[in-house]
Amino acid sequence: MSVHFIPAFADNYIYVLESRAGIWVVDPGSADPVFSWLDQRQMKPTAILCTHHHPDHTGGVAALARHFAIPVYGANDRIPALTHPVHAGKLTIAAAELSVLEVPGHTRDHLAYVWSQSLFCGDTLFAAGCGRLFEGTPEMLFQSLQQLATLPAATRVYCAHEYTQNNLRFAALVDPENPVIQQRQMLVRQQRDAGEPSLPSSIGLECASNPFLRCHVPALIASAQQFDPDCDGSPLSVFTTLRCWKDQF
Ligand SMILES: [Zn+2]
């Protein structure tokens, strides 16, 4: 399976998954860049997968679905042109079997897809960060991220925005002695200077450097308690404090 990046808007990535099972487009927030990308390669998509309903992930769904007459997978009818509502568990598309995970928090009905050791997690887990809480509670997002952290360490993480540099600045502030963050900052700077995406990340790398997956680590507990003396030091309380801090960062 190959994963292709189509940049959209200021910092979104639309993904095209190409395999013998077909050509799937994940989170097409805009139709035009997808039409031109496919045109240049004489390719026709066979399905659309959506992680959540926000317009920067679904703005192109209806036009692509209509033009190519292809199915649209997603949580519910908040996804435009939805044909196949899906829930946590196995999902078969053509000959391929994917795992669907329910990961609420950023929105209450956010999904993630795992296929071929690759995770497409929309706005739930970002490289060195996590999504904002629009509809869910801190506990929901915390549990969702914990669920993603249990995937095999080698799982490639394809999140939907290029936020890595800004996220790493925050990570370095709250986890200042972590050498993995410092190495990662250097690597990502090189990638971005060369005009390349900083993705995919991996679950192993996120567990080693993403503050939102490290709320049990003494350095993060100390930082959270320094920011908010009312933080009780439990992983959920550390997570809630860090998310609130990052919102103002
Ligand atoms: Zn979103």
Side-chain angles (χ1 to χ4, degrees):
M1 190 260 285
S2 351
V3 179
H4 307 283
F5 290 69
I6 304 178
F9 310 116
D11 50 32
N12 282 69
Y13 290 125
I14 300 166
Y15 293 112
V16 177
L17 282 53
E18 181 185 5
S19 77
R20 275 174 300 202
I23 292 166
W24 309 335
V25 183
V26 180
D27 282 359
S30 176
D32 288 346
V34 181
F35 277 127
S36 50
W37 191 94
L38 293 165
D39 256 10
Q40 282 165 22
R41 291 160 183 80
Q42 301 282 301
M43 283 161 71
K44 183 186 175 306
T46 55
I48 295 171
L49 277 67
C50 294
T51 62
H52 68 297
H53 73 285
H54 284 158
D56 61 319
H57 296 252
T58 57
V61 171
L64 290 164
R66 196 181 322 116
H67 183 86
F68 293 109
I70 52 176
V72 177
Y73 297 83
N76 53 45
D77 61 10
R78 293 210 288 175
I79 305 293
L82 183 85
T83 58
H84 291 64
V86 294
H87 303 285
K90 298 293 177 197
L91 167 65
T92 304
I93 303 180
E97 191 173 79
L98 297 74
S99 296
V100 179
L101 308 175
E102 288 173 2
V103 285
H106 177 71
T107 64
R108 64 175 183 270
D109 46 15
H110 199 300
L111 300 179
Y113 300 91
V114 184
W115 189 52
S116 188
Q117 284 222 48
S118 297
L119 166 69
F120 299 89
C121 50
D123 289 354
T124 298
L125 174 65
F126 289 124
C130 72
R132 282 176 189 262
L133 288 161
F134 282 115
E135 297 177 354
T137 63
E139 185 166 14
M140 274 181 186
L141 186 56
F142 177 74
Q143 294 299 345
S144 294
L145 293 171
Q146 291 293 114
Q147 186 187 169
L148 297 179
T150 65
L151 292 169
T155 306
R156 291 175 290 273
V157 176
Y158 291 92
C159 41
H161 288 273
E162 180 61 63
Y163 287 160
T164 315
Q165 276 184 305
N166 186 48
N167 286 344
L168 282 170
R169 273 195 290 278
F170 181 73
L173 174 70
V174 298
D175 196 2
E177 305 294 325
N178 186 337
V180 180
I181 294 173
Q182 294 158 20
Q183 289 158 13
R184 206 173 168 188
Q185 280 185 299
M186 283 194 289
L187 174 66
V188 170
R189 191 176 308 124
Q190 287 166 7
Q191 290 171 319
R192 298 304 295 146
D193 286 351
E196 292 164 8
S198 65
L199 304 168
S201 175
S202 71
I203 291 295
L205 181 57
E206 291 311 314
C207 288
S209 58
N210 187 324
F212 297 99
L213 298 183
R214 293 168 56 75
C215 296
H216 56 288
V217 172
L220 278 304
I221 298 170
S223 287
Q225 289 183 323
Q226 211 169 12
F227 180 77
D228 179 4
D230 290 335
C231 171
D232 68 15
S234 67
L236 175 58
S237 165
V238 171
F239 175 80
T240 305
T241 304
L242 292 176
R243 185 56 269 176
C244 177
W245 188 355
K246 179 69 167 45
D247 285 344
Q248 311 162 24
F249 177 70

